[in-house]
Amino acid sequence: MNEIKILVIEDHNLTRIGLRAALQTQPEFNIVGEAANAADGIKLLKTLKPDVATIDIGLPDMDGIELTRTFRQYQAENEDYTTKLLILTMQNSEQAVLAAFAAGADSYCMKDIETERLVEAVRTTYAGSSWIDPAIADLVLQQIRQDFPDGNKGASGKRVLIEGIDPDVEKSIVTYPLTHREMDVLELIVAGCDNAEIAKRLYLTVGTVKTHVRGILNKLCVADRTQAAVRALRAGLVP
């Protein structure tokens, strides 16, 4: 079993202690460092090169979303830094989670998550996929809810997993790029519009919008609109 090096960035002492205790229940988890603010967190990210960092949004000197954005820019210039970033917070709004993914977060969890789910989130994030807390996934689904391609509605408490954007997916996006109209539709999906609203804004029929949505899902290699929104943000397709 591979060791997973974890950095905890959390300003609240008791919460940080609780996180450490929860994570240390797993033999392969190694807490390599802790930081109580963003400045120290960034320093430790650069010096310790952890596999996964848990980041609180409400840090005193810089919020966790800005920290995420700052470190992602640093990673873009330094390819040997491969740390995955897991946002861990009490903020459960659609705006917060989408902003986090737009900044480059890999996963998003609530602080009141059960230990078993936290362990799953860390392992999933380490493996290269995105993990969204069921409570957050439910809110996002309500924001951009729509029939899935097979006609089934999203279930309450759905856990959303977004596979990492591997080279094959990147190649597919480059080889089969979204059309201008598909990009228009994708931007409105991310904005939370359903098919009827997209049709109204773009002066299309609902049937035409559904066709574009199916094309977007296929080209982005995802199963539903929620995953399409997150992948679009992570891939930088939508600002």
Side-chain angles (χ1 to χ4, degrees), residues 108-177:
Y108 197 106
C109 298
M110 299 298 293
K111 284 185 178 179
D112 59 359
I113 191 172
E114 295 180 357
T115 297
E116 293 77 10
R117 286 292 183 89
L118 176 61
V119 169
E120 178 186 357
V122 171
R123 286 176 175 161
T124 299
T125 304
Y126 170 73
S129 297
S130 290
W131 196 98
I132 305 180
D133 189 289
I136 295 295
D138 201 40
L139 287 171
V140 175
L141 286 169
Q142 290 177 33
Q143 175 72 12
I144 60 175
R145 66 184 182 277
Q146 183 63 37
D147 287 349
F148 289 93
D150 63 1
N152 294 324
K153 292 286 187 179
S156 177
K158 175 182 174 63
R159 176 164 58 87
V160 180
L161 287 175
I162 314 295
E163 292 298 325
I165 303 178
D166 58 36
D168 289 338
V169 173
E170 290 183 331
K171 182 178 179 181
S172 175
I173 294 174
V174 172
T175 304
Y176 305 102

Side-chain angles (χ1 to χ4, degrees), residues 1-229:
M1 187 175 297
N2 293 333
E3 177 186 76
I4 301 177
K5 296 182 294 183
I6 302 171
L7 171 65
V8 176
I9 305 175
E10 164 64 51
D11 67 321
H12 194 277
N13 289 336
L14 289 179
T15 301
R16 195 166 61 250
I17 292 170
L19 285 173
R20 183 174 65 240
L23 294 170
Q24 287 179 334
T25 61
Q26 305 304 306
E28 77 273 27
F29 287 1
N30 178 16
I31 312 301
V32 295
E34 300 177 16
N37 57 61
D40 290 343
I42 291 175
K43 289 178 182 177
L44 292 179
L45 281 166
K46 293 178 179 179
T47 58
L48 298 177
K49 296 184 179 180
D51 297 310
V52 177
T54 66
I55 302 173
D56 177 32
I57 283 185
L59 297 170
D61 52 342
M62 176 192 298
D63 68 56
I65 292 175
E66 185 59 30
L67 185 159
T68 297
R69 183 178 295 109
T70 299
F71 185 65
R72 285 303 190 215
Q73 292 173 350
Y74 181 81
Q75 282 184 308
E77 300 169 358
N78 298 271
E79 296 182 356
D80 56 331
Y81 285 83
T82 59
T83 302
K84 305 294 193 304
L85 305 180
L86 187 160
I87 297 292
L88 195 58
T89 180
M90 291 303 295
Q91 296 191 29
N92 62 352
S93 68
E94 305 91 1
Q95 293 79 9
V97 67
L98 292 179
F101 279 106
D106 292 289
S107 297
Y108 197 106
C109 298
M110 299 298 293
K111 284 185 178 179
D112 59 359
I113 191 172
E114 295 180 357
T115 297
E116 293 77 10
R117 286 292 183 89
L118 176 61
V119 169
E120 178 186 357
V122 171
R123 286 176 175 161
T124 299
T125 304
Y126 170 73
S129 297
S130 290
W131 196 98
I132 305 180
D133 189 289
I136 295 295
D138 201 40
L139 287 171
V140 175
L141 286 169
Q142 290 177 33
Q143 175 72 12
I144 60 175
R145 66 184 182 277
Q146 183 63 37
D147 287 349
F148 289 93
D150 63 1
N152 294 324
K153 292 286 187 179
S156 177
K158 175 182 174 63
R159 176 164 58 87
V160 180
L161 287 175
I162 314 295
E163 292 298 325
I165 303 178
D166 58 36
D168 289 338
V169 173
E170 290 183 331
K171 182 178 179 181
S172 175
I173 294 174
V174 172
T175 304
Y176 305 102
L178 299 181
T179 65
H180 290 302
R181 183 57 78 187
E182 286 172 340
M183 284 298 302
D184 292 338
V185 172
L186 180 60
E187 289 180 5
L188 292 175
I189 288 175
V190 173
C193 298
D194 61 17
N195 284 351
E197 179 64 21
I198 293 173
K200 180 179 179 180
R201 293 195 184 192
L202 298 180
Y203 303 100
L204 301 171
T205 66
V206 172
T208 299
V209 172
K210 289 182 177 179
T211 298
H212 286 313
V213 171
R214 284 196 294 271
I216 291 169
L217 300 185
N218 288 335
K219 290 180 179 180
L220 296 185
C221 303
V222 295
D224 59 61
R225 296 162 70 94
T226 305
Q227 294 182 353

